[in-house]
Amino acid sequence: MAEPSTATAYGALVRSRIAAQASYRTSFAIELGSQVLLVLIEFVEVYVVFHQVDSLGGFDFGEVALMYGLAVVAFGIADMAVGHVDRLPYYVRTGTFDAFLIRPLSALGQLVTSDFALRRLGRICSGLVVLGLALAAVDVDWTPARVLLLVVTPLAGAAIFSAVFVATATIGFYVVEGMEFANAFTYGGNYLSAFPFTVFGNAIRRFFTFIVPAAFVAYLPALALLGRPDPTGLPTWLSWCAVPAAVLAAAGAGLAWRTGLRHYVGAGS
């Protein structure tokens, strides 16, 4: 009888996490509803802003809603799949991470499959609703390229956020408590990606475009969908580069993980 593959082992771990969450239906329903409510509250904040102004950074309500919807869906997918990697400092501090290293599976793979936040489906579905309403409100000259961009963008954005989660989690290899610093890049990047980058200062725009590529999650793809040039002067072709940005972010996260893992010497006693 053939031994189970690595993919099968990871799949079994994820299924066990999902089954555990589904077994507590009331709790799961409450958590799912809380995610929907969270997105609703955040979106109401955007709506309230547009009761005071006609545009935000040169974009109207429908265009900002488009960016918001793309960002919410992307972050929801990433948070559901890998958001729990921010528990790495806790695993290192308690010595639990040492168990990952002696099993015949990738340490990162085990960390990613140590949980699966199915409740984030509430956030993803809410984001899809906002995205659908925004697309109905804005004027998009649909072409095959733009249809493909719309489909690919949330997945590329999820890959970017996943890479940021993994890269910032590696701070746990160096300091005992550093996740508050890491959250500035994960949740901070999520917040920034939901708004036009024209409302931020030049230094912030550059950092969250070329260092932490949050601009490629929603802002730049939204410009491509709308057929608008970037008001800050970035080249038009950059708006179509969410996938290359995701690949580079994943490569950077992989390098950060391998470097941190080499630095790790054990929890001690």
Side-chain angles (χ1 to χ4, degrees):
M1 182 173 166
E3 294 185 0
S5 66
T6 301
T8 301
Y10 288 138
L13 288 172
V14 172
R15 286 194 298 272
S16 69
R17 310 306 182 206
I18 294 174
Q21 294 174 55
S23 63
Y24 297 94
R25 296 181 180 179
T26 301
S27 175
F28 176 71
I30 293 173
E31 291 178 340
L32 199 67
S34 68
Q35 291 294 308
V36 174
L37 183 61
L38 178 62
V39 173
L40 178 61
I41 292 173
E42 290 176 347
F43 189 64
V44 166
E45 292 176 358
V46 177
Y47 182 75
V48 168
V49 169
F50 276 93
H51 265 274
Q52 305 298 321
V53 297
D54 295 326
S55 66
L56 187 63
F59 296 87
D60 62 28
F61 178 67
E63 293 167 337
V64 174
L66 175 61
M67 299 175 195
Y68 180 82
L70 289 171
V72 167
V73 174
F75 187 79
I77 296 172
D79 201 16
M80 178 174 67
V82 304
H84 48 274
V85 301
D86 62 6
R87 288 182 57 81
L88 177 63
Y90 169 78
Y91 292 146
V92 169
R93 188 169 63 252
T94 60
T96 307
F97 186 72
D98 289 3
F100 290 175
L101 298 176
I102 62 176
R103 295 170 184 159
L105 292 171
S106 160
L108 180 58
Q110 292 179 75
L111 181 62
V112 169
T113 56
S114 64
D115 196 4
F116 191 81
L118 199 61
R119 62 188 178 277
R120 303 301 188 202
L121 280 174
R123 185 176 187 86
I124 296 169
C125 293
S126 300
L128 288 172
V129 171
V130 172
L131 181 58
L133 293 174
L135 288 171
V138 299
D139 184 19
V140 178
D141 180 17
W142 290 110
T143 63
R146 285 196 172 98
V147 172
L148 181 60
L149 179 66
L150 177 63
V151 173
V152 169
T153 292
L155 301 178
I160 289 171
F161 278 131
S162 296
V164 175
F165 269 118
V166 171
T168 55
T170 60
I171 196 171
F173 289 129
Y174 304 96
V175 297
V176 175
E177 293 290 348
M179 290 317 298
E180 291 302 323
F181 174 76
N183 288 344
F185 300 99
T186 52
Y187 296 98
N190 171 47
Y191 181 81
L192 265 67
S193 66
F195 293 94
F197 268 44
T198 48
V199 302
F200 305 117
N202 187 55
I204 293 177
R205 286 201 309 268
R206 290 183 179 278
F207 183 83
F208 282 95
T209 299
F210 300 109
I211 306 300
V212 179
F216 293 92
V217 172
Y219 171 66
L220 289 174
L223 292 180
L225 289 171
L226 296 168
R228 293 186 52 171
D230 177 39
T232 66
L234 291 177
T236 302
W237 58 264
L238 206 61
S239 299
W240 297 85
C241 292
V243 172
V247 172
L248 290 174
L255 176 62
W257 174 264
R258 290 190 297 272
T259 302
L261 195 59
R262 285 196 296 270
H263 181 274
Y264 179 68
V265 293
S269 59

